[in-house]
Amino acid sequence: MESALGQPNFISVAFFFLFVVLTLGITYWAAKKTKSSSEFYAAGRSITGFQNGLALSGDFMSAASFLGISGMVALKGYDGIIYAVGWLVGWPALMFLLAEPLRNLGKYTFADVLAFRLKQKPIRIVASIGGILVTITYSIAQIVGSGKLINLMFGLSYEVAVVIVGGVMLLYVLFGGMIATTWVQIIKACLLLFGVTLLVILSLSVFGFSLENLYGGVESKFGRAALEPGGLVANPIDAVSLGLALMFGLLGLPHILMRFYTVPDAKEARKSVAYATTFIGYFYIIIPIVGFAAAVLIGREQIAGIDKGGNMAAALLAELLGGTPFLGFIAAVAFATILAVVAGLTLAAASTISHDLYFNVFTEGKASEEKQVSVAKKATVVFSIVSILLGILFKDQNVAFMVGLAFAIAASGNFPALFLSILWRGFSTMGGVWSILVGSISATAFIILSPTVWVDVFKFKEAIFPLKNPAIVSMSLAFIVAFVFSKLFPDMNAKERYESEKVRVYLGVGAE
Amino acid sequence: MKSKAHELIESPEFKKLVRTRWIVSFLLLFLLFANYYGFILIIALKKEWVVERIGQFANFGLIAGAGVIVLSWILTFIYVIWANRVYDKEVDALKSKLEGGR
């Protein structure tokens, strides 16, 4: 099969421009509504549960899930499905543990929840460190992925692609704030769900709309092994550790958590998660079909020939089934996907810098509305430039490793402190500070000493830390440290304030 | 009768509300764990269970992958139904007792 992939084809460029023009139009409309800091960070709390559910899906379904998982299924078979399942199971946990308390306690960032009864300055400073570490590693992964993707799809150079992604994303966040970012994510989620559904229907039509025929095709071409688990979960402790990172990492991702402040109350926050789980679950159930169909109809060799990681499987399948126009559409969707996720991350980082660090720590809550929004905009510019530069610097870095790092830090650094501050009366400022620091630092250190970096990147013979994902150890450490330091350095103020926190957590009284 | 926040928290109704909320949450979380980690551990330790065929080509593993997602989704909706039918009503009842509460 001859592929138009890698050439700057007119239709994909046209689709891409259509998307950018449409979303910039929304940004222009949003810019006129975005005056106060509540509008900039939280869309004036005017988003409905359904809209927020779509936006959460848009924020979460990254190019890594769309292109990465379909490619993994195409090249490795069943193991790709195991991975896909892990990406969904955090959502119910988010619903049971955090969604409502988060909405009732916070204003703009997850640090608001921690700082509700603990000492403002120390807790906000370390929470910002944890939050920014997660957003920057996750952004770099997205940006590096986008650069390679554009390179493969349109034939543009890596650096040009990175600058385009960074530039367009900067415009959304800078002028439209949370309102524009939300709508970009909603549009992207709809396009992605539509595109993948169409791809699945077209694939199944080739197999007479029967999954049995599709599986039969896989078996006759690649043997039974393609439909059975391979080496991904050979080591059970490693598998559980990866599962913990995927599940609880979601509960510590700043750009996901801040979406809960865009809805008016806890009931809408609950609805948001229900809708998000529905859309994301649907997506992860059907995405393996794309991978299997690509393997059968195109062949593993050709998919791997274009990109070793299999990331082009979905695009090649689209071209085969729908010609260049469909390839163009899927390419534009993939690009929109990256843009939307990076915009969400940038906004989360900007809020942390301006709301937690500048407003609450530096000026001790005395800065005016205009000043806060202006600092947030400056932070957006700085964060974008830094991530573009790091994206170029980390050009050849393994993207999966960066995503793994972001999730491990989120699960170990942010989640334990957030969880304990809601549930445990005896949680103290020192406990919170050290839990975040120990969780984030140990997660990072263990990943560097793990086989993924120590052996694969640094080429040492044996890894110092045996597990590929450290969450099971670093999360436990964070909980233990939180407990020990809270007992050693109790916080009377925090205990007294726990009462008013409770009224707010459970009844929503006094929540903004 | 309107009461202050402190009295409310000490009231048996509020304590019961908090307790029920976390019992429901942790029960559902436990089922989620059993569902997902059960799936992972079966693949790691009892691979022969998932490779068994059902039908001509499909096997249990392929169904189980989708099944874990569907079950997680059902658990989420059980929580929503419980929260809408039970939790919200009790919250409203307690709020109306609170002095100056909305």
Side-chain angles (χ1 to χ4, degrees), chain B residues 77-91:
Chain B
F77 272 79
I78 291 176
Y79 182 86
V80 173
I81 292 168
W82 169 78
N84 286 347
R85 294 231 174 123
V86 183
Y87 186 71
D88 279 355
K89 273 187 197 139
E90 282 174 28
V91 164

Side-chain angles (χ1 to χ4, degrees), chain A residues 59-78:
Chain A
D59 228 339
F60 188 68
M61 294 186 291
S62 61
S65 345
F66 170 39
L67 303 172
I69 292 180
S70 55
M72 208 165 156
V73 173
L75 296 184
K76 297 204 171 111
Y78 190 82

Side-chain angles (χ1 to χ4, degrees), chain A residues 141-310:
Chain A
Q142 294 293 329
I143 287 176
V144 171
S146 77
K148 289 188 176 154
L149 180 76
I150 301 313
N151 198 318
L152 286 167
M153 282 194 168
F154 304 107
L156 281 175
S157 85
Y158 176 87
E159 286 78 9
V160 171
V162 168
V163 172
I164 292 177
V165 172
V168 178
M169 160 213 89
L170 180 62
L171 289 179
Y172 296 149
V173 180
L174 198 53
F175 296 110
M178 189 47 124
I179 304 176
T181 307
T182 303
W183 282 100
V184 169
Q185 284 159 350
I186 290 176
I187 295 171
K188 169 247 157 148
C190 293
L191 283 176
L192 183 61
L193 290 169
F194 172 74
V196 174
T197 305
L198 197 59
L199 202 50
V200 166
I201 292 173
L202 289 174
S203 313
L204 284 177
S205 72
V206 179
F207 296 93
F209 291 101
S210 152
L211 280 175
E212 280 283 339
N213 290 346
L214 172 63
Y215 295 147
V218 175
E219 179 167 339
S220 65
K221 214 166 170 181
F222 307 103
R224 201 61 202 161
L227 296 171
E228 292 171 356
L232 187 71
V233 292
N235 176 351
I237 299 176
D238 221 340
V240 170
S241 191
L242 174 69
L244 282 175
L246 286 177
M247 192 186 254
F248 292 106
L250 172 72
L251 281 68
L253 291 177
H255 68 299
I256 299 286
L257 300 179
M258 86 177 288
R259 287 228 58 88
F260 288 98
Y261 308 124
T262 64
V263 293
D265 53 34
K267 200 182 174 79
E268 294 298 315
R270 194 189 299 147
K271 274 193 205 162
S272 314
V273 188
Y275 282 117
T277 313
T278 311
F279 297 130
I280 297 169
Y282 165 75
F283 176 81
Y284 285 125
I285 286 179
I286 64 169
I287 198 80
I289 299 174
V290 175
F292 280 132
V296 176
L297 300 174
I298 296 160
R300 283 181 176 172
E301 266 169 38
Q302 193 173 354
I303 295 171
I306 290 182
D307 175 67
K308 265 193 292 184

Side-chain angles (χ1 to χ4, degrees), chain A residues 78 81-82 84-93 95-101 212-213 215-217 219 224 227-230 233-237 239-248 267 270-271 273-275 277-282 284-285 292 419 422-423 498-500 502-503 505-512, chain B residues 5-10 14-15 17-18 21-22 24-30 32-33 35-37 39-41 43-45 47 50-73 75-85 87-88 90-92 94-95 98 100-102:
Chain A
Y78 190 82
I81 296 182
I82 305 176
V85 172
W87 287 92
L88 179 89
V89 289
W91 288 92
M95 172 76 109
F96 307 151
L97 300 179
L98 287 185
E100 295 162 13
E212 280 283 339
N213 290 346
Y215 295 147
E219 179 167 339
R224 201 61 202 161
L227 296 171
E228 292 171 356
V233 292
N235 176 351
I237 299 176
V240 170
S241 191
L242 174 69
L244 282 175
L246 286 177
M247 192 186 254
F248 292 106
K267 200 182 174 79
R270 194 189 299 147
K271 274 193 205 162
V273 188
Y275 282 117
T277 313
T278 311
F279 297 130
I280 297 169
Y282 165 75
Y284 285 125
I285 286 179
F292 280 132
F419 179 70
I422 292 168
L423 266 174
Y498 188 58
E499 273 198 356
S500 51
K502 266 182 130 172
V503 181
V505 167
Y506 300 101
L507 305 182
V509 174
E512 194 178 327
Chain B
H6 177 73
E7 291 161 34
L8 184 80
I9 287 173
E10 294 301 323
F14 186 84
K15 284 187 171 162
L17 176 87
V18 172
R21 191 238 185 269
W22 290 111
V24 172
S25 286
F26 280 105
L27 192 70
L28 289 169
L29 189 69
F30 171 76
L32 181 74
F33 269 52
N35 175 33
Y36 174 59
Y37 293 106
F39 170 70
I40 296 286
L41 290 175
I43 287 171
L45 304 170
K47 205 174 129 179
V50 289
V51 302
E52 201 170 308
R53 289 185 195 229
I54 33 172
Q56 209 182 341
F57 299 106
N59 60 30
F60 277 112
L62 291 164
I63 309 296
V68 172
I69 294 181
V70 173
L71 200 60
S72 311
W73 178 79
L75 291 175
T76 311
F77 272 79
I78 291 176
Y79 182 86
V80 173
I81 292 168
W82 169 78
N84 286 347
R85 294 231 174 123
Y87 186 71
D88 279 355
E90 282 174 28
V91 164
D92 286 341
L94 279 173
K95 260 197 214 168
L98 192 67
R102 285 168 291 168

